[in-house]
Amino acid sequence: MTLARRLARPEILALEPFDLGNREADPDAIKLDANESPFGPLSGGSIAAGVNRYPEPRPQRLRAAMASLYGVAPAQFLVTRGGDDAIDLLCRTFLRGPGDSIAVTSPSFSAYAHFARLQGAQVLDIPLAVTDFSLDAARVIRELKGDPSAKLLCLCTPNNPTGTAVDPATVLEIVDALPDVMVLADEAYLEFGDAPSLASEAIVRPNLLVLKTLSKAFALAGARVGGLVGPPETLDIIARALPPYPLPTLSIAAALEALQPARRAVHRERIAQLLTERDRIAPLIATSPFVRKVYPSAGNYLFLETGETEQLAARLAADGVRVRYRPQAAPGGIRLTIGTRQENDAALAAFGVYVPQATIRTAEIARDTKETRIALAIDLDRPEPRRIDTGIPYYDHMLDQVAAHGGFSLVLNCRGDLEIDPHHSIEDVAIALGSGLKSALGDKRGIGRFGFALPMDETEAQVLIDLSGRPFSRFEGTFQASHIGDYPTEMTPHVFRSLADSLGAAIHVKVIGENDHHKVEASFKAFGRALRQALAIEGKRDVLPSTKGML
Ligand SMILES: *Cc1c(COP(=O)(O)O)cnc(C)c1O
């Protein structure tokens, strides 16, 4: 027997390692096994600055940002190294040896029992209904009421891995019926469902805590940032179990960047896209010859019951599609994370469901400078949503015209130094929009490439476009008024030049007329119309509209 084995606590030796699969095995795999966001962390600049110093022991700005995100005061939020760490902290704070127990409702998240066992505590299982994984609140209350060993109860809603949500009223009914048990409502996936958060209830109850994480909806699983919502007195006790510097500087910086107000709209749009994908995939995967049942899900994943599991596993492995196997939860149980459209189509194919290859022309841009912070999402093949907020209402209206007439979806948010001048915001947004369009166009195969537009009302605006890859811009037209609202009219030629530069396009604008409002608006509208023709896929997807063979 090695020394370590002789000295180790029996609880440690008895502990099963976490079943996380072999994540390192294939770095190119399609990772639909860990409920991560398929998107990058929306990080603009370098976040490595300052790592020579210790991080803040209790990151105040992050605490404030997360508290505000969840609608509570900073003192009512405890930042932890991911939600997992919050669970470990709770177990270390409240459980001590075999006289204490944690109640779980299986099948659920395995970390609750794991960290409880690490403290030598008992695990009391009150299983969910086998038919639909619903929670029997009366049974939970009956089994825990008067059990002096019961210290903690974990209710995961929406539940991992089954996707089932517990009605917040049911959680509160349990909380109120069990005043001597600390209840953890795990809301790791709340953002993907439509139930309200229990955060506002946790801050006024001595026996309810809410778990939050930036891993899922905020695409930060690698940064390990989460936390607990609860009354300050409770959080102060739990915080005693924290190490001195729980969160790395890089994680704090990454989280603060992701939570910037300018990023919110794109985060919301990402969640909307994942939900659209979840609702597209669910009925399709139900037609798979391997799938027996698809459970309704309120998370960014689907729980499936499958048959012929070995054959399916071989197909998934051959196609490089990773899923999480959960045979203890249900026979042939598989949890499939919702990824990007391409990833989901690859997963469907591995399940034997083939869908026509979709044209995917999307882009996201996060662009930060000292003057502006911009995040945008574009989808050239979807007309909605269009949500634009640059802080300059007239410019928002103009960009909305471009997207509406261009026929593409645009979610764009800019927080700029408007207190100085709108110049930076207007210019940087034009640059970001051009870069986004360029990136969404990708290899440009199948596009019209050229566009033109002609008169509108009493004003005449002509816009000619060539998405040639070569920036050039010409603007013919003059304005009498210096401003329209907060928008300086002199910026108009500048916007088209910035767009031409970052999009890599020749843009010729000519505008004549009486009214400056009309002239500016007609220029943007005509630009949108011209863009629509140039962006449109015409005919063969694989044909490049150039005799040179490149654009
Ligand atoms: C992912 C997850 C968490 C926490 O994840 P972290 O990455 O540690 O923040 C907590 N609970 C459930 C149910 C989860 O699935």
Side-chain angles (χ1 to χ4, degrees):
M1 208 194 263
T2 64
L3 180 65
R5 186 160 280 279
R6 262 198 293 132
L7 300 186
R9 293 165 49 204
E11 294 85 3
I12 287 279
L13 294 177
L15 213 56
E16 295 279 338
F18 278 115
D19 168 22
L20 300 176
N22 188 359
R23 300 271 292 167
E24 286 75 38
D26 176 5
D28 299 325
I30 297 172
K31 296 186 176 62
L32 302 181
D33 60 333
N35 295 355
E36 296 148 336
S37 164
F39 306 112
L42 273 187
S43 162
S46 160
I47 56 169
V51 287
N52 53 322
R53 308 286 181 199
Y54 273 110
E56 282 179 88
R58 299 281 174 275
Q60 293 308 327
R61 272 206 309 146
L62 182 57
R63 181 187 213 181
M66 292 181 79
S68 137
L69 177 68
Y70 303 125
V72 299
Q76 294 161 334
F77 192 79
L78 176 68
V79 182
T80 62
R81 207 164 36 211
D84 289 351
D85 188 39
I87 296 165
D88 185 29
L89 280 171
L90 284 177
C91 290
R92 288 194 283 133
T93 304
F94 296 113
L95 306 177
R96 184 190 183 199
D100 292 341
S101 59
I102 189 170
V104 298
T105 58
S106 70
S108 192
F109 192 44
S110 60
Y112 313 135
H114 180 98
F115 289 121
R117 290 199 174 103
L118 194 50
Q119 299 311 320
Q122 305 291 326
V123 178
L124 255 169
D125 187 11
I126 308 167
L128 300 173
V130 281
T131 45
D132 60 357
F133 298 125
S134 59
L135 180 88
D136 182 346
R139 178 166 169 201
V140 171
I141 295 167
R142 202 164 59 239
E143 296 210 9
L144 299 184
K145 188 123 204 136
D147 176 350
S149 85
K151 298 275 173 72
L152 268 176
L153 163 65
C154 298
L155 298 174
C156 188
T157 176
N159 186 41
N160 177 4
T162 58
T164 32
V166 186
D167 183 351
T170 306
V171 176
L172 290 181
E173 182 194 329
I174 295 172
V175 168
D176 293 339
L178 298 172
D180 296 322
V181 177
M182 188 64 77
V183 180
L184 176 70
D186 185 338
E187 294 187 351
Y189 300 100
L190 184 97
E191 291 89 343
F192 301 100
D194 36 40
S197 170
L198 285 162
S200 60
E201 303 291 342
I203 58 178
V204 295
R205 283 179 163 77
N207 67 327
L208 173 63
L209 294 164
V210 169
L211 181 145
K212 293 290 189 181
T213 174
L214 300 184
S215 292
K216 312 302 179 2
F218 287 88
L220 282 174
R224 316 301 304 121
V225 185
L228 290 169
V229 178
E233 316 80 71
T234 310
L235 298 182
D236 288 345
I237 290 173
I238 297 166
R240 293 179 197 204
L242 280 170
Y245 306 102
L247 252 79
T249 306
L250 296 176
S251 299
I252 297 173
L256 282 171
E257 269 207 45
L259 294 183
Q260 281 176 59
R263 304 278 200 267
R264 292 279 163 88
V266 173
H267 279 301
R268 269 198 293 277
E269 172 55 17
R270 288 171 157 194
I271 291 169
Q273 276 178 34
L274 291 173
L275 298 185
T276 304
E277 277 296 282
R278 182 186 72 195
D279 297 343
R280 181 180 72 95
I281 305 300
L284 285 171
I285 207 156
T287 67
S288 159
F290 297 102
V291 171
R292 298 206 172 126
K293 185 163 180 185
V294 181
Y295 285 85
S297 172
N300 63 335
Y301 52 90
L302 289 171
F303 188 67
L304 316 169
E305 279 182 35
T306 67
E308 288 154 279
T309 46
E310 272 170 37
Q311 202 193 335
L312 175 60
R315 289 178 60 110
L316 287 163
D319 287 5
V321 175
R322 302 178 62 97
V323 299
R324 193 58 63 82
Y325 295 96
R326 283 286 172 261
Q328 302 92 329
I334 285 181
R335 192 192 69 194
L336 175 74
T337 303
I338 304 302
T340 62
R341 185 164 181 141
Q342 290 103 311
E343 291 173 336
N344 300 332
D345 285 350
L348 283 170
F351 275 86
V353 180
Y354 298 93
V355 291
Q357 204 191 331
T359 306
I360 294 161
R361 298 189 301 165
T362 60
E364 283 185 350
I365 302 279
R367 188 182 190 280
D368 292 347
T369 67
K370 288 211 177 70
E371 291 148 356
T372 58
R373 293 172 172 274
I374 297 168
L376 67 82
I378 286 181
D379 185 338
L380 298 185
D381 300 296
R382 243 177 1 136
E384 300 281 348
R386 299 192 319 270
R387 278 195 298 273
I388 297 154
D389 181 5
T390 64
I392 307 156
Y394 185 75
Y395 193 39
D396 295 349
H397 179 47
M398 292 303 99
L399 296 173
D400 186 58
Q401 296 291 329
V402 172
H405 287 277
F408 58 89
S409 96
L410 177 63
V411 174
L412 187 156
N413 199 296
C414 172
R415 300 284 167 128
D417 54 356
L418 294 177
E419 68 287 357
I420 297 175
D421 189 79
H423 186 110
H424 297 140
S425 293
I426 293 173
E427 175 170 350
D428 291 356
V429 162
I431 294 169
L433 177 59
S435 310
L437 287 167
K438 182 179 181 184
S439 157
L441 275 168
D443 64 10
K444 301 187 184 171
R445 283 178 192 277
I447 63 165
R449 174 177 166 180
F450 301 103
F452 61 95
L454 287 165
M456 319 196 72
D457 301 336
E458 95 295 338
T459 295
E460 244 180 63
Q462 289 185 32
V463 175
L464 310 178
I465 294 184
D466 177 9
L467 299 178
S468 59
R470 297 185 303 277
F472 178 84
S473 90
R474 175 187 290 152
F475 189 94
E476 289 177 39
T478 51
F479 302 108
Q480 305 293 311
S482 74
H483 282 74
I484 302 169
D486 282 348
Y487 174 87
T489 48
E490 61 163 18
M491 287 301 289
T492 310
H494 206 74
V495 167
F496 289 109
R497 174 143 28 93
S498 300
L499 278 164
D501 287 346
S502 57
L503 171 56
I507 302 176
H508 297 223
V509 183
K510 202 186 275 184
V511 62
I512 50 170
E514 304 288 312
N515 177 306
D516 283 347
H517 186 118
H518 287 173
K519 279 155 69 182
V520 174
E521 181 154 343
S523 304
F524 279 97
K525 265 189 187 159
F527 173 67
R529 278 284 146 184
L531 202 52
R532 181 192 207 99
Q533 294 167 39
L535 298 172
I537 302 276
E538 321 185 308
K540 292 226 170 83
R541 179 73 184 95
D542 54 350
V543 175
L544 201 59
S546 164
T547 52
K548 288 199 197 122
M550 65 173 289
L551 269 182

